[in-house]
Amino acid sequence: METINVGKNIKSIRKMKGLTLQELAEKSGVSATAISAIERNVSSPTVTTLTAIGQAIGESLSFLLGESEIAYILTRSEHRVRLASEIRNADFLSLASGIPGQRFKPMLSVLKPGTTSGEDYFSSRGDEFFLVLKGTLDVDLNGETIRIEEGDSLYFRGNTPYRWRNAADLETHFLIVTAA
């Protein structure tokens, strides 16, 4: 049976990213002493600890465990998965899914004229990026309305309250990329 050297993987990635033990400890919520022991293979981490360290260094659990990862996902337009949504007159289509530890989630949104995300603001934990492919979108970011038109893009930080509405008389298509 092949031995998995998780500690060596963590140390290698940490050094490659220029992080000290203390910096990784602060980012992960795992003590520097515990991380050092894991890196030296003196201690075996729990799944929770390994997940916290992986998120802090931007790597999936499977990568840290040395498992082979999916290199890419190709989604043909006719095979896009429609995502569940309570928003009427709006379709949200996944553009890429199925990669363990996916770092961002791209989707295509198609909005009928006048469609809104609703009266309530919402936010996600990860940063967001919108690119209008067709039409016009009014995005209300914490009370400030920003109009983005075909070809325009908007990037905003996670936890920023927002809502949107299709400001065009035709369908609006826009790309949404959310950090996982």
Side-chain angles (χ1 to χ4, degrees):
M1 178 177 219
E2 186 179 329
T3 304
I4 301 168
N5 195 339
V6 176
K8 181 180 176 185
N9 292 348
I10 291 170
K11 186 173 186 175
S12 172
I13 295 165
R14 177 179 62 79
K15 291 197 169 261
M16 184 178 68
K17 296 195 176 195
L19 293 172
T20 65
L21 279 170
Q22 189 58 44
E23 289 169 333
L24 180 53
E26 289 170 9
K27 288 180 80 168
S28 67
V30 178
S31 74
T33 305
I35 295 170
S36 175
I38 293 165
E39 287 184 349
R40 292 180 287 119
N41 289 316
V42 173
S43 172
S44 295
T46 65
V47 172
T48 303
T49 298
L50 202 51
T51 300
I53 292 170
Q55 287 176 339
I57 59 177
E59 296 296 343
S60 69
L61 189 57
S62 60
F63 183 83
L64 293 180
L65 293 173
E67 296 175 1
S68 61
E69 294 203 329
I70 299 168
Y72 67 90
I73 293 285
L74 171 64
T75 305
R76 301 277 183 204
S77 61
E78 65 271 13
H79 295 121
R80 291 180 182 149
V81 176
R82 181 169 276 110
L83 304 171
S85 172
E86 295 180 8
I87 300 173
R88 295 182 58 209
N89 297 317
D91 285 327
F92 296 94
L93 306 167
S94 175
L95 298 176
S97 62
I99 296 180
Q102 197 167 335
R103 294 184 183 101
F104 60 90
K105 297 180 179 173
M107 68 181 99
L108 175 65
S109 178
V110 179
L111 310 175
K112 299 278 188 232
T115 301
T116 71
S117 59
E119 290 297 314
D120 295 332
Y121 287 92
F122 55 98
S123 64
S124 66
R125 292 185 321 167
D127 291 1
E128 300 227 16
F129 174 82
F130 292 175
L131 170 65
V132 175
L133 304 170
K134 175 183 167 186
T136 304
L137 190 69
D138 283 344
V139 181
D140 183 342
L141 289 176
N142 205 20
E144 179 185 353
T145 300
I146 300 167
R147 176 162 284 188
I148 52 177
E149 298 174 328
E150 189 170 318
D152 294 343
S153 61
L154 176 66
Y155 179 98
F156 53 96
R157 293 287 184 194
N159 297 321
T160 302
Y162 73 95
R163 59 187 177 189
W164 47 255
R165 94 178 163 83
N166 179 359
D169 293 333
L170 304 169
E171 279 188 347
T172 289
H173 297 212
F174 70 107
L175 172 69
I176 303 169
V177 180
T178 304

